[in-house]
Amino acid sequence: MTDANGAAAPPQAGPDARHVAIFDTTLRDGEQAPGFSMTVEGKLIVARALQALNVDVIEAGFAAASDGDFNAVRAVAETIDGPRICSLARLDERDIERAIRAIEPARRRRLHTFIGTSPIHREAKLKMTQGEILARVDRLVRFACAEADDVEFSAEDAIRTERDYLLEVCRTAIEAGATTINIPDTVGYSTPEEMTDLFSYLTGACPKHVVFSVHCHDDLGMAVANSLAAVRGGARQIECAINGIGERAGNCSMEEAVMALSTRRDFFGLDTRIDTTKIYPASVALARVTRHAIPRNKAIVGKNAFAHEAGIHQHGVLADKRTYEIMDAESVGMPSNSIVLGKHSGKHALASRAKSLGFEATKDRIEAIFPEFKRLADTCREVTDADVVKLMTGRLAHDGRSGPWRTRRIELRTDVEDEMRPYARVTMKHDDGSRDTVQCEGGGPIDAAFAAVCAIAGVNGRIVTLELSHNADDDDTRVDAEAVVEVGERRYTGAAREVDVADAAVAAFVAAINQAAVSEAALDEQSRRNQTKPEAVA
Ligand code: KIV
Ligand code: ZN
């Protein structure tokens, strides 16, 4: 049987044939990747973001791997309500018992147990025969099902396992009580056509109440395509991770798989329960917790995903976004300022930005400032709102300052007494010679420092994104920070490079506040001038 798009219609379908469950493994497979380990607090931040996304399952860790992992899974199970909380376990009694203890506090739980099934795993790693593995699957999946009411079984390296043997393994796990069967491409070896074919074969030969799941790695850059191809073959759960993090080249990217299903619903005809507007906040939260910046060109969540700099594209997007966009930035929760002013931008884009900042962008005025705009764009990566204000008010040529405020001293305290919140004491100096010190509390010391900076500058700024990065290949040991700060309806960007992470974060925030102070003053002056213009004679 084929569907309207010519693919095999899903032969199996669990309880809801049109629903694809999102099983997020950012906190387990994602965390296993070198450089991505997270503290319990960090995991809780990401878990809250996953709860807001409304994922179906959060794989919070591998409880038997270490006490730290056990505590993290338990903390997530105690804190998060909504998604099922899951722990991974090898197919042995001790691992399974430990996983069950870790997920115990959760209202909705899942146990995920696995064993390698391919020839290389059987012979080189497990030293077990096919028959021995089948017997173990039968015995230990039964054991797990007696202890937990929702058991998922994974045949590790399923893709390199003999097909008929893989089917036997799946049937054994199902007969023993597993209700989700996961088919991992552990080494990222498969292709989309093979995935559709394999899942059609397995789902067609197994009972319909079972949900088949896909778990792909990205070694050949096909994890998302392979996961979607598995869905076309009948899989109804995708295992994935925010920003595609995971072992080696990573896992299937959650945001890419979800947005593919949603944007191409006409093709897939399937739904997830994800609140897509929470995708970008989750991606930023993970980047912050792991200190790995989102690559600029990353699909869906990268800075360039909805940005247009080429003049011809900007012209099209300003006329109708659909000329070059298949999704709205807002639909993934991303700030929508998609027109990036740079050296490829044209007069349409410059005029449009000037208008949005409250200026009368006449043709003559834009013609007059355009050469200066191009000169500026040639010397920097991006022309900011503050630069446009300076161009429009004629201040750029003689005003090279980045703003009136300089930081003099920052003290951050986290080791506070019970009942006290972390705080920061900040001293800043204004160009007019005045100096001010303010102490503020906050959720964390950096948050407190931002509040203190705003209090001193008299600017009501809200941090939107803070990106910290460090190029390990570089000899420079300093950290780069970039802060986007919202003041009213406008956004300002500040950048800084410092040795200390906290100093870099605060300096970037101050740079954005400086931009805001200069721009808001210029805009006030502009609106005063507009109001005092003589009335036109009719
Ligand atoms: O990649 C893999 O095979 C896994 C399993 C443990 C599901 O991560
Ligand atoms: Zn994996």
Side-chain angles (χ1 to χ4, degrees):
M1 209 169 61
T2 58
D3 68 11
N5 296 309
Q12 70 82 41
D16 176 358
R18 296 286 135 204
H19 171 66
V20 178
I22 297 300
F23 175 115
D24 186 279
T25 187
T26 307
L27 300 179
R28 199 277 296 167
D29 211 321
E31 205 227 2
Q32 271 170 227
F36 282 89
S37 63
M38 296 174 227
T39 60
V40 174
E41 291 72 36
K43 278 197 167 189
L44 282 173
I45 292 171
V46 176
R48 284 196 191 95
L50 292 169
Q51 180 179 19
L53 274 164
N54 204 26
V55 301
D56 297 85
V57 185
I58 297 178
E59 188 166 50
F62 189 168
S66 69
D67 286 346
D69 246 45
F70 178 90
N71 293 337
V73 177
R74 205 166 163 94
V76 172
E78 277 163 357
T79 317
I80 304 297
D81 193 19
R84 283 188 185 278
I85 308 303
C86 172
S87 171
L88 185 66
R90 277 166 299 204
L91 198 58
D92 79 39
E93 280 97 340
R94 202 193 137 268
D95 262 40
I96 292 172
E97 275 166 354
R98 192 113 175 102
I100 286 172
R101 267 215 306 288
I103 58 176
E104 206 168 36
R107 192 167 58 83
R108 305 175 71 229
R109 300 173 280 263
R110 172 165 301 174
L111 176 84
H112 178 193
T113 186
F114 75 100
I115 189 164
T117 53
S118 64
I120 185 79
H121 278 242
R122 294 194 308 260
E123 287 150 26
K125 190 175 85 172
L126 300 167
K127 314 235 181 294
M128 286 170 83
T129 64
Q130 286 192 347
E132 284 168 339
I133 287 176
L134 284 174
R136 193 174 182 85
V137 170
D138 180 56
R139 188 169 65 80
L140 283 149
V141 172
R142 273 181 209 284
F143 172 76
C145 292
E147 305 285 320
D149 55 7
D150 182 333
V151 174
E152 168 171 336
F153 169 77
S154 282
E156 193 189 12
D157 204 14
I159 294 305
R160 293 190 298 169
T161 302
E162 305 85 336
R163 234 183 213 220
D164 48 353
Y165 177 60
L166 179 61
L167 177 59
E168 228 183 318
V169 172
C170 295
R171 282 184 171 150
T172 306
I174 294 166
E175 270 159 34
T179 46
T180 304
I181 299 292
N182 184 37
I183 305 296
D185 183 7
T186 304
V187 289
Y189 180 74
S190 197
T191 65
E193 288 75 12
E194 288 170 306
M195 292 300 272
T196 306
D197 191 48
L198 177 63
F199 275 79
S200 300
Y201 167 73
L202 294 173
T203 55
C206 289
K208 307 286 174 259
H209 72 277
V210 173
V211 173
F212 268 83
S213 167
V214 61
H215 176 114
C216 291
H217 281 268
D218 207 29
D219 299 66
L220 292 173
M222 291 193 277
V224 175
N226 283 341
S227 303
L228 295 170
V231 164
R232 301 273 288 154
R236 287 295 177 270
Q237 173 175 285
I238 297 179
E239 301 201 355
C240 47
I242 303 173
N243 298 347
I245 69 169
E247 286 278 11
R248 305 181 310 283
N251 281 102
C252 168
S253 138
M254 182 276 298
E255 58 279 8
E256 292 174 27
V258 167
M259 289 313 290
L261 288 173
S262 141
T263 308
R264 295 307 313 278
R265 200 181 180 287
D266 60 318
F267 182 74
F268 291 103
L270 298 167
D271 296 305
T272 67
R273 295 203 186 96
I274 297 297
D275 176 353
T276 62
T277 63
K278 301 294 187 310
I279 285 180
Y280 184 64
S283 169
V284 170
L286 178 70
R288 191 155 44 89
V289 165
T290 59
R291 299 194 174 180
H292 285 284
I294 308 165
R296 212 177 159 116
N297 65 334
K298 170 79 184 62
I300 317 293
V301 290
K303 227 182 189 168
N304 284 3
F306 295 92
H308 307 276
E309 191 186 315
I312 190 163
H313 285 210
Q314 293 188 336
H315 191 184
V317 169
L318 288 168
D320 186 334
K321 280 211 277 199
R322 290 169 303 176
T323 47
Y324 290 100
E325 282 186 9
I326 57 166
M327 298 167 270
D328 277 343
E330 290 88 348
S331 72
V332 298
M334 203 187 240
S336 70
N337 200 358
S338 63
I339 299 292
V340 175
L341 294 180
K343 64 180 179 181
H344 303 112
S345 302
K347 290 172 195 155
H348 284 285
L350 177 58
S352 159
R353 181 65 57 85
K355 268 189 208 145
S356 76
L357 290 168
F359 290 97
E360 209 182 325
T362 59
K363 202 160 174 275
D364 288 352
R365 184 80 193 111
I366 295 297
E367 286 289 348
I369 63 166
F370 198 63
E372 189 63 43
F373 166 76
K374 280 284 178 185
R375 249 194 308 282
L376 177 65
D378 268 337
T379 60
C380 63
R381 281 188 307 173
E382 193 175 319
V383 177
T384 64
D385 283 358
D387 293 326
V388 175
V389 171
K390 288 180 197 165
L391 281 164
M392 289 301 287
T393 52
R395 289 187 180 170
L396 192 73
H398 53 88
D399 184 0
R401 298 177 321 172
S402 55
W405 293 102
R406 306 282 169 271
T407 315
R408 284 288 168 256
R409 192 179 161 84
I410 309 170
E411 268 176 77
L412 305 176
R413 294 293 299 272
T414 32
D415 55 332
V416 291
E417 306 285 320
D418 283 354
E419 306 290 315
M420 252 185 97
R421 289 177 2 119
Y423 69 85
R425 189 198 306 271
V426 176
T427 303
M428 298 213 297
K429 187 168 181 255
H430 193 273
D431 278 359
D432 65 11
S434 63
R435 179 188 268 268
D436 207 349
T437 299
V438 164
Q439 179 171 316
C440 283
E441 289 185 358
I446 294 182
D447 191 36
F450 291 169
V453 170
C454 287
I456 295 173
V459 173
N460 192 7
R462 184 182 75 83
I463 186 83
V464 180
T465 58
L466 174 64
E467 278 180 26
L468 298 167
S469 57
H470 172 240
N471 185 355
D473 301 332
D474 206 332
D475 277 348
D476 193 341
T477 53
R478 289 175 300 172
V479 174
D480 284 310
E482 191 177 291
V484 176
V485 176
E486 198 166 68
V487 180
E489 284 175 354
R490 279 184 278 277
R491 290 183 173 204
Y492 300 94
T493 306
R497 176 176 276 196
E498 298 287 342
V499 174
D500 179 71
V501 177
D503 286 346
V506 177
F509 188 83
V510 171
I513 292 293
N514 265 324
Q515 300 266 343
V518 172
S519 298
E520 300 288 318
L523 288 167
D524 282 352
E525 196 179 307
Q526 170 72 20
S527 80
R528 257 198 311 279
R529 249 194 264 134
N530 288 350
Q531 277 163 14
T532 52
K533 254 193 215 161
E535 293 215 4
V537 180

